Structure formats: structure tokens, C-alpha cells
Amino acid sequence: MHLLCIETTCDETAAAIVTDRLEVKSSVVASQDELHRRFGGVVPEIASRAHVERILPVVDEALRRAGLSLGDIGAVAVANTPGLAGSLLVGLVAAKTLALALDVPLVAVNHLHAHIYACRLESGEEVFPCVGLIVSGGHTSLYRCGGPLQFELLGTTIDDAAGEAFDKVAAMLRLPYPGGPSIEKAAEKGDPRAYCFPRALLDDETRLDFSFSGLKTAVRYQIAGPGRADFSQIELPPQQVADLAASFQEAAVDCLVGKASAALRQTGMKTLCVGGGVAANRRLRERLHQQAAREGFRLHVAPPRLCTDNAVMGAIAVERLGADLVEPLDLDVIPGVARMGSGLVLEK
Ligand code: KG4
Ligand code: ZN
């Protein structure tokens, strides 16, 4: 059976065709980076309008690359939470319309759970039970994943997400958008020990939360000193930019690796699965592998093409279909960011 998966939670318009045996037949991702670059971040209204323009060509292209037509689709899956309200709505309306017209089941996908499921797809074998670490532009979260349909939130960031901190620090350093890859590139020539930035909450083993806003502010003070509101005129020498990028990246990676390790200790689990855009970061991947070798846990990090937003990871819908978890056509979006105690943590 072929599933059409649709993903429009933020600024990528994506569609993929996967089978119920988790074979990937096609994957199309239309990035909107060009549209948001001059604003230094995603502008929600621009994103939703771009999704409207792209969604049908992207679905068509996914079918074409798979050598299939709409009549071959047996179910439609769509990410309906979390994310930007307008963006989510475009994907959901397209998915509902197709499910109604084709008379096939509609399956809801939690975008964060799907980021973890990317590890299952890549490994080709069972990865559950595991601790799931999601590091993306909007989220930095740890989950206890009992199975592909059992996600219990253990901790989240209490302020900025890791990807958000990469993007904002890149903007301070006047590195191009999106900031994550730019910081990674600049850091290659930098000294990660040049500046000693804070590793918030890292000493508290009992707490599985993250905080990146103090780290971001520490970089800002290093560039301009406290109290200086506008530092857009400050020209930093390239080596200092590289050192700041490397030192920032190292501090962020320390927090991510340290808290993932603590979550494994606390839950007694032996497997760590890591997904989300920031998991594409080479330094983070390297440090996770070192930690896994040192502490003896099994590690699955999604491959870079499945770290940043894509529709292939929507294949988690296969698990829901298998458990008869299909949705009525009045399914709604649940926008926002999922934070501990935010009321937006809706796990089913
Ligand atoms: O998962 P994703 O594509 O979208 C969300 O669901 O948010 O993550 C996007 C985030 C952005 O903040 C981007 O800067 C970051 O992932 N990112 C990276 C890298 N590639 C993307 N951060 C650090 N290093 C990278 N190589
Ligand atoms: Zn994402």
C-alpha cells in the first residue's frame, strides 16, 4: 500500500510516497530559504502563502518521481502539530481534500515524533524503546519513547530552541541565513576554547531541561559588551567570528550531549535516537558518537537529509494505520511550540 505524506509545519513544503513496508518511493522538499533570508528568520505569513503556491506541484512531483498516480494512494498522512498555524493549515486542507476525494484514510502525524522516526527509517530495524532527542529550529526536547506510538516528554528548552540559538547567533555574527549551517562552517576555522560560554542547567543531573537564551546573550556581550542595544555597525575580524562560532557551538553541543546522557541514565534506556535540523551538525554528531562509545549506549542519528524538515519521516503514519488510528475529516491543526507544562503537549 502506498501512503502520501505531507509536511508543511514551518517553511518547507514537502511530500513523500512511502509504502506500508517503509520503502521510500519518492521525496520532494521545496525550501523557502530564499524568501525568508532577507528577514533573517521565518516570516509566518510569507511561509503560509508560499505553501499555498507550492503544495500541489510538490504533491504532483512526488507522485511523478514514484511513477504513481493519485489512484494508487491508499492513505494520506499529514503533520498537523506542532508548527505555524497558517503553514499547518495549508498541508492539512490539502491532505483532507485528497483523503475525501480518493476515499482513503487520513492519518495525523506529530512532527516531533516524526523527527525521531527518521532514525527508525534509516536504521531499517527496530530502534524502540529509546530516548529521543529532538533538536530543531523550534524545539529542543527529550522523550521517553516506549514504542513508535508512545512518546512521553521528559524535558524541553525553557526558552530558545537550539536551532533558534544557532540562527540568532549567526545573525549577530552577520553570517548568512539559515544560521545553523553557517555557524558550523565558520566554526571549522575557529577555536572552541577561545571563549568560555555558559552551559546552562548542565550541572543539574536531575533536570532534563535546556536553556539557550543565556548562551545567546553571552555571545552578544562578547561582541558588544552589555548595555549596547545596536551593534550592527561592529565589524569583527574573520578569526574572531570563527572563534565565537566554534565556542558557541561547543557550548550548545555540550548541553545537548550532556542532557541526552542524563536522560539515558534516568530512564535506564540503552538507545538514543536523535533527529531535527540541528542533528545535521557535524560537531554534534561527532560528540554523540564519542559519548556513545564511552558510555556504551546504542546511537541512531538521522541522516542529514532526514534531519531537516521532510515528508519521508511522516512514514510514522504506517504505525498509526497499523493501530487503526485514523482521523475524521474535522481534524484540526494544533499550532504553537510544545513546551513542558505549556498545554500544547498533546500526546496521543
Ligand atoms: O527541523 P528543522 O528543519 O525545522 C524545524 O522543525 O524547526 O530545523 C531547522 C533548524 C534551523 O534552526 C537551522 O539553523 C538548524 O535546524 N540547522 C542546523 C544545521 N542545519 C540546520 N544547526 C546546526 N548545524 C547545522 N548543520
Ligand atoms: Zn522539524
Side-chain angles (χ1 to χ4, degrees):
M1 199 243 263
H2 292 100
L3 280 90
L4 168 65
C5 305
I6 292 177
E7 152 66 46
T8 61
T9 58
C10 188
D11 63 338
E12 323 282 355
T13 317
I17 314 275
V18 297
T19 71
D20 54 355
R21 298 172 64 189
L22 300 181
E23 294 150 328
V24 180
K25 294 292 179 186
S26 66
S27 171
V28 179
V29 181
S31 161
Q32 300 179 8
D33 282 354
E34 288 302 325
L35 298 179
H36 302 287
R37 179 160 288 136
R38 71 190 167 104
F39 303 102
V42 176
V43 182
E45 197 51 39
I46 293 177
S48 47
R49 283 161 197 259
H51 284 308
V52 172
E53 286 167 8
R54 286 153 205 234
I55 186 71
L56 294 182
V58 164
V59 169
D60 273 345
E61 182 62 12
L63 286 165
R64 196 188 65 76
R65 289 191 197 173
L68 299 172
S69 62
L70 275 177
D72 299 313
I73 297 303
V76 182
V78 61
N80 72 322
T81 190
L84 301 171
S87 294
L88 287 165
L89 271 174
V90 177
L92 181 63
V93 170
K96 281 185 187 180
T97 309
L98 286 167
L100 177 67
L102 301 173
D103 194 22
V104 296
L106 176 70
V107 188
V109 166
N110 178 309
H111 176 78
L112 300 177
H113 302 179
H115 267 306
I116 294 301
Y117 201 72
C119 296
R120 164 71 184 86
L121 287 171
E122 181 65 9
S123 83
E125 60 187 53
E126 201 47 84
V127 296
F128 301 99
C130 65
V131 165
L133 169 66
I134 292 151
V135 269
S136 72
H139 292 87
T140 305
S141 315
L142 280 162
Y143 282 87
R144 180 204 301 269
C145 315
L149 300 174
Q150 284 174 276
F151 289 78
E152 182 200 334
L153 193 59
L154 297 171
T156 60
T157 180
I158 57 169
D159 40 54
D160 289 7
E164 186 179 357
F166 270 85
D167 292 337
K168 288 176 177 169
V169 167
M172 289 180 210
L173 296 174
R174 295 212 231 158
L175 295 169
Y177 175 86
S182 303
I183 293 267
E184 175 174 330
K185 190 156 183 284
E188 280 168 14
K189 297 195 177 73
D191 175 3
R193 284 182 298 267
Y195 301 95
C196 185
F197 290 134
R199 274 86 167 145
L201 307 178
L202 195 54
D203 291 339
D204 187 350
E205 170 85 12
T206 61
R207 233 181 126 174
L208 297 177
D209 293 322
F210 302 88
S211 166
F212 294 104
S213 88
L215 170 59
K216 183 185 66 183
T217 306
V219 178
R220 183 190 172 108
Y221 285 173
Q222 197 61 55
I223 298 171
R228 187 159 168 185
D230 179 16
F231 55 91
S232 55
Q233 301 310 315
I234 297 179
E235 275 287 347
L236 297 176
Q239 189 55 50
Q240 195 181 349
V241 170
D243 288 344
L244 285 164
S247 303
F248 159 78
Q249 179 174 268
E250 203 63 16
V253 166
D254 271 346
C255 296
L256 296 170
V257 174
K259 287 294 175 192
S261 259
L264 286 163
R265 282 191 291 278
Q266 265 191 36
T267 58
M269 284 179 167
K270 302 274 178 279
T271 306
L272 176 67
C273 286
V274 189
V278 181
N281 184 276
R282 283 197 300 275
R283 182 63 183 147
L284 174 59
R285 299 171 82 90
E286 180 181 64
R287 289 280 311 281
L288 284 167
H289 282 286
Q290 287 168 359
Q291 191 82 355
R294 193 162 39 239
E295 297 190 346
F297 58 82
R298 214 155 59 101
L299 175 67
H300 297 279
V301 191
R305 70 175 190 292
L306 295 184
C307 283
T308 43
D309 287 350
N310 64 87
V312 174
M313 64 192 192
I316 192 171
V318 170
E319 308 280 353
R320 291 183 71 83
L321 260 183
D324 279 335
L325 291 169
V326 297
E327 306 298 329
L329 286 175
D330 64 355
L331 177 69
D332 207 349
V333 299
I334 309 165
V337 288
R339 293 277 194 275
M340 216 62 178
S342 72
L344 277 165
V345 185
L346 298 170
E347 317 289 344
K348 344 186 230 181

